[in-house]
Amino acid sequence: MTTHRDSTDALSDFADLMAGSGTVSADTAADRGRTRRVLGRILLAMVLVIALGALSAGGYAAWALSAPLPAPTAQLQDRAVAASEPVAVAEPSQGASAVTVSGAPEYLGADGLHAASGTTDAVPIASITKLITALVVLDAHPLGEGDAGPTLTFGAADHALYDAYYVRGATIAAMPAGSTMTLRDAIATMLIPSASNYAHAVSTWAYGSQSAFLGAARAWLEANGLTSTRIVDPTGLDPGNVSTTADLLRLGALAAADPTIAELAATPSLTLPATGPMRNTNELLGVDGITGLKTGNLGNGTFTLLYTASLDVGLGEPLAVTGAVVGSQTREATNDVALRTLASIRAGFHDVALADAGDVVGTITTPWGESAQAVVARDAALRTWSDTPVEVTVDTRAPEVYRDGAVVGTITWTAGPETATSDVVVAGHIPEPTAWWRLTHPDQLG
């Protein structure tokens, strides 16, 4: 007869066995064997569950305790940089002036800088007329680079011009009858010491007569858009030779673009066999980058200057400047206007101090409640033009370690094409989050 034992009895027997209660009857041995196998499986499952839970918890903890920290929150102050004063191009106390500047289009724009003051009426231009005479002569008899051109032979009529212009108080240079000179040297004598007899002789040679020359000069002026300029003689001694500052700037550009005239106008002195040593009437050559072009005067109140300059403003490539001054009382006053104009343009390009190392730009606050000041890591400045506005941006990021000097961002200043940057760093110590905060804020970890 078989006796049935339920699982409760088996567990009881197992408990007795574990407790050391003695032997168990033979008729229950098979059931106890099965029970031990079942309980073994249960115990093994429990051990596995506990082990897996421990491993899972340990993996999460290891991750949470080493995961990247979230980025801090930056509360930044207004770091706007005060705008500089707009550039003020120097103005003459008398007469009129104008200037145009090209180059640095990222600062000055594609059209460059233009400024003018004083009258816009046409006024006498004196010996600046000789630039027009030279350009009109070269229009009919062009010279290539390094080309001396045809040879001119001066006759008795040309020699007589020396005396004719001498009695008029004009600047003159020797022109002996029978002497010869290349066209280039003759134009040099007309421009460098401003010899009026050479302007007359060369213009007559080029066109056959003064009336023919004047007709060609008027046609040339019209063709080149110099509609406010009038020429009545090749020397400028006649006050009927007039122009405006706007036309003179255009004339300056045309003269500077001609290689022969540009080279001669930049020559401080020259010695020729027929004339001997000659000095340029433009005393400013080489001063503050001035490279030309021509002076003139008919006495007090009529001093004029048309000049070009290569102006270094610290940008690498110099600016190209063309300026005109008319109606000054003296040569000194004329030169002063030109030099002050160049100085004011140069001063318009200036370094703006943006920040000093240690300047506070805001507060860095971490998600776990700690905070410290954020400061600029190093001095910063940039070069700008006039009142170009300075834009400021700050980017933040999580540092590898939150400690004094740790980089928490970058501050960038931009003005026109120029950019300056500095790291933003922690000033002081920011304690890292506790292990408990890490374990309880998994959603904020990287």
Side-chain angles (χ1 to χ4, degrees):
M1 179 175 182
T2 302
T3 303
H4 176 73
R5 294 169 61 85
D6 60 20
S7 59
T8 303
D9 295 331
L11 288 172
S12 177
D13 290 341
F14 175 73
D16 292 341
L17 180 64
M18 296 298 292
S21 58
T23 60
V24 185
S25 61
D27 61 352
T28 64
D31 289 335
R32 284 199 295 263
R34 285 192 296 272
T35 301
R36 281 195 295 270
R37 288 192 294 275
V38 170
L39 288 176
R41 294 189 187 100
I42 293 172
L43 288 172
L44 178 60
M46 292 174 64
V47 170
L48 288 173
V49 168
I50 293 171
L52 288 173
L55 287 173
S56 176
Y60 166 75
W63 170 82
L65 294 174
S66 61
L69 293 171
T73 299
Q75 296 177 333
L76 303 175
Q77 300 172 354
D78 181 7
R79 293 297 302 173
V81 178
S84 302
E85 290 295 323
V87 65
V89 176
E91 299 181 359
S93 58
Q94 57 191 22
S97 68
V99 66
T100 181
V101 184
S102 61
E106 63 273 22
Y107 287 98
L108 304 179
D111 295 332
L113 170 69
H114 306 271
S117 63
T119 182
T120 58
D121 295 338
V123 297
I125 58 174
S127 285
I128 290 177
T129 301
K130 294 183 177 76
L131 276 180
I132 298 174
T133 300
L135 286 165
V136 174
V137 168
L138 290 172
D139 191 50
H141 303 276
L143 297 178
E145 187 174 355
D147 183 9
T151 298
L152 284 64
T153 300
F154 301 117
D158 299 313
H159 177 66
L161 293 172
Y162 183 94
D163 293 331
Y165 282 102
Y166 173 80
V167 298
R168 295 178 65 181
T171 301
I172 50 179
M175 187 185 288
S179 63
T180 61
M181 187 178 289
T182 65
L183 176 60
R184 186 184 188 281
D185 285 346
I187 292 176
T189 307
M190 173 173 60
L191 294 178
I192 293 174
S194 198
S196 291
N197 56 328
Y198 272 79
H200 190 134
V202 172
S203 59
T204 301
W205 169 86
Y207 287 93
S209 68
Q210 279 299 292
S211 61
F213 163 73
L214 291 173
R218 295 183 186 109
W220 184 88
L221 291 170
E222 182 177 359
N224 286 281
L226 302 175
T227 56
S228 297
T229 303
R230 187 163 64 99
I231 297 300
V232 297
D233 88 279
T235 68
L237 288 175
D238 192 314
N241 293 294
V242 297
S243 187
T244 62
T245 54
D247 266 18
L248 288 177
L249 293 181
R250 172 64 178 158
L251 174 62
L254 292 169
D258 185 282
T260 299
I261 294 180
E263 181 181 355
L264 295 176
T267 302
S269 62
L270 180 68
T271 299
L272 297 174
T275 63
M278 301 178 290
R279 290 197 60 81
N280 201 308
T281 59
N282 187 356
E283 300 169 350
L284 295 183
L285 285 180
V287 179
D288 283 357
I290 291 178
T291 57
L293 284 162
K294 193 72 187 74
T295 66
N297 83 89
L298 296 176
N300 290 345
T302 64
F303 282 84
T304 60
L305 173 66
L306 180 58
Y307 64 95
T308 53
S310 181
L311 190 63
D312 184 1
V313 293
L315 299 178
E317 190 73 20
L319 304 178
V321 180
T322 303
V325 184
V326 299
S328 295
Q329 284 296 118
T330 64
R331 175 62 57 207
E332 291 74 17
T334 305
N335 292 348
D336 178 67
V337 173
L339 294 178
R340 287 193 295 109
T341 297
L342 293 174
S344 64
I345 295 169
R346 187 184 291 108
F349 291 88
H350 54 279
D351 292 326
V352 176
L354 304 168
D356 295 326
D359 281 354
V360 177
V361 295
T363 303
I364 295 295
T365 303
T366 68
W368 55 93
E370 300 291 345
S371 65
Q373 288 184 326
V375 301
V376 178
R378 56 181 175 272
D379 296 348
L382 56 74
R383 176 149 289 244
T384 188
W385 160 251
S386 188
D387 55 349
T388 302
V390 180
E391 298 179 358
V392 186
T393 58
V394 180
D395 298 317
T396 59
R397 62 180 182 270
E400 293 182 2
V401 180
Y402 285 87
R403 64 186 177 203
D404 187 61
V407 178
V408 291
T410 303
I411 184 168
T412 302
W413 299 268
T414 302
E418 294 295 312
T419 297
T421 62
S422 173
D423 288 335
V424 176
V425 298
V426 174
H429 180 67
I430 296 182
E432 294 195 14
T434 63
W436 177 251
W437 187 91
R438 283 178 170 273
L439 291 170
T440 56
H441 294 79
D443 57 319
Q444 296 193 45
L445 300 175

